[in-house]
Amino acid sequence: MAKYTRGTVTAFSPFDARADAEALRKAMKGMGTDEETVLKILTSRNNAQRQEIASAFKTLFGRDLVDDLKKELTGKFETLMVSLMRPAYIFDAHALKHAIKGAGTNEKVLTEILASRTPAEVQQIKQVYLQEYEANLEDKITGETSGHFQRMLVVLLQANRDPDVGVDESLVEQDAQVLFRAGELKWGTDEEKFITILGTRSVSHLRRVFDKYMTISGFQIEETIDRETSGDLEKLLLAVVKCIRSVPAYFAETLYYSMKGAGTDDDTLIRVMVSRSEIDLLDIRREFRKNFAKSLYQMIQKDTSGDYRKALLLLCGGDDE
């Protein structure tokens, strides 16, 4: 899970926070809102610049930019614009808080965020969660989950994955054999072995383990997880494996299924487009084109409408046809 700098949104130049704040105030003042100005400014500035605009907005007008956006915009477009205004770690912490708030838990959000973020990012999210909500993220998650799914989440929350320094081939062989014995060779499954190895070994080590596992068993590790586990644990283990193989490919698949078939999972679409726009959205677009024989841009165009669509297409940053 290397650090990517392949985002579609980068620092805007020449940047003038005061001018942007004035343009946004004008766009939202009086009768009706000039949505076009709002979306053009917010999708073309990076998050650090958006924070400067919010600060200038408060200094110039004594008003909170996010509050004004919530008042003046509606629906999915409002959700998208407000999401763009949240700093990255606050964005993730907010998504996790809402995933475990109230009746029922959104396991999909817990899985997506904790499987895909680097250990350093997970540590930051935990700190921000504590600052923002005066609560311990791990306590909150363990209070709302159970069983092996809960245990795997707790392992990921420790953010103690081995550092990527060289690969010990004898340990690769050993781990592949342990996984084989814990799954395919066993009556029932020893889930703990899967949790420990997939949750703590380094990325380059696990990639070699997956290759070795295929040699030993004749199966891809994903096939075994599919057969040997079920429900939320299965989805989480598969997400971890996919992210070890390629984070952009994992998010390309997540975006594809958020729009495939009847209805759109807008929460997922917004979450991924916003959270990856400054990290690896160019790589995600490439994987999307390669794996689904159509471009992300075209699928968004077909599946969304109005200002919401315009803003998503600007974040997407181009067509790969």
Side-chain angles (χ1 to χ4, degrees), residues 60-76:
L60 293 171
F61 311 112
R63 302 174 70 89
D64 186 286
L65 176 55
V66 172
D67 287 349
D68 277 12
L69 290 169
K70 286 177 176 173
K71 267 203 292 281
E72 296 296 326
L73 310 176
T74 56
K76 294 173 286 204

Side-chain angles (χ1 to χ4, degrees), residues 190-256:
D190 184 349
E191 290 91 352
E192 282 194 357
K193 297 280 193 292
F194 281 84
I195 288 168
T196 303
I197 291 173
L198 294 177
T200 62
R201 301 288 196 255
S202 76
V203 171
S204 42
H205 172 85
L206 283 171
R207 286 178 183 158
R208 291 285 303 116
V209 170
F210 299 161
D211 293 342
K212 180 63 75 177
Y213 185 86
M214 179 72 190
T215 310
I216 294 169
S217 69
F219 300 114
Q220 293 287 8
I221 189 78
E222 290 91 335
E223 296 174 79
T224 295
I225 290 169
D226 197 30
R227 260 198 305 277
E228 298 289 328
T229 60
S230 62
D232 295 323
L233 175 67
E234 179 192 347
K235 288 177 191 146
L236 179 55
L237 292 177
L238 285 173
V240 169
V241 168
K242 286 169 185 173
C243 288
I244 293 293
R245 289 193 189 276
S246 163
V247 171
Y250 169 71
F251 279 117
E253 185 183 315
T254 304
L255 285 169
Y256 178 74

Side-chain angles (χ1 to χ4, degrees), residues 61-97:
F61 311 112
R63 302 174 70 89
D64 186 286
L65 176 55
V66 172
D67 287 349
D68 277 12
L69 290 169
K70 286 177 176 173
K71 267 203 292 281
E72 296 296 326
L73 310 176
T74 56
K76 294 173 286 204
F77 180 55
E78 176 203 332
T79 306
L80 177 57
M81 293 298 107
V82 168
S83 296
L84 285 170
M85 291 304 302
R86 287 198 178 98
Y89 298 121
I90 291 182
F91 182 75
D92 281 346
H94 180 266
L96 289 168
K97 176 161 173 64

Side-chain angles (χ1 to χ4, degrees), residues 236-294:
L236 179 55
L237 292 177
L238 285 173
V240 169
V241 168
K242 286 169 185 173
C243 288
I244 293 293
R245 289 193 189 276
S246 163
V247 171
Y250 169 71
F251 279 117
E253 185 183 315
T254 304
L255 285 169
Y256 178 74
Y257 286 106
S258 76
M259 294 181 279
K260 186 181 183 283
T264 304
D265 177 355
D266 292 292
D267 287 343
T268 298
L269 180 54
I270 291 169
R271 196 172 52 251
V272 176
M273 293 297 287
V274 170
S275 65
R276 308 314 289 185
S277 60
E278 291 182 43
I279 300 174
D280 53 0
L281 195 47
L282 289 170
D283 296 321
I284 292 168
R285 271 172 39 186
R286 191 183 61 227
E287 292 292 334
F288 197 100
R289 184 74 192 81
K290 188 174 87 189
N291 297 333
F292 303 109
K294 61 177 78 171

Side-chain angles (χ1 to χ4, degrees), residues 93 96-97 100-101 110 114 122-145 153-154 156-158:
L96 289 168
K97 176 161 173 64
I100 47 185
K101 184 179 156 192
L110 300 182
L114 294 176
V122 172
Q123 294 289 16
Q124 283 283 349
I125 292 164
K126 289 197 301 190
Q127 266 177 299
V128 168
Y129 196 94
L130 192 58
Q131 284 159 6
E132 291 289 304
Y133 306 116
E134 295 177 351
N136 179 297
L137 178 59
E138 188 182 319
D139 291 348
K140 289 288 178 190
I141 286 177
T142 51
E144 297 295 329
T145 55
L153 289 173
V154 169
L156 295 173
L157 281 164
Q158 303 320 298

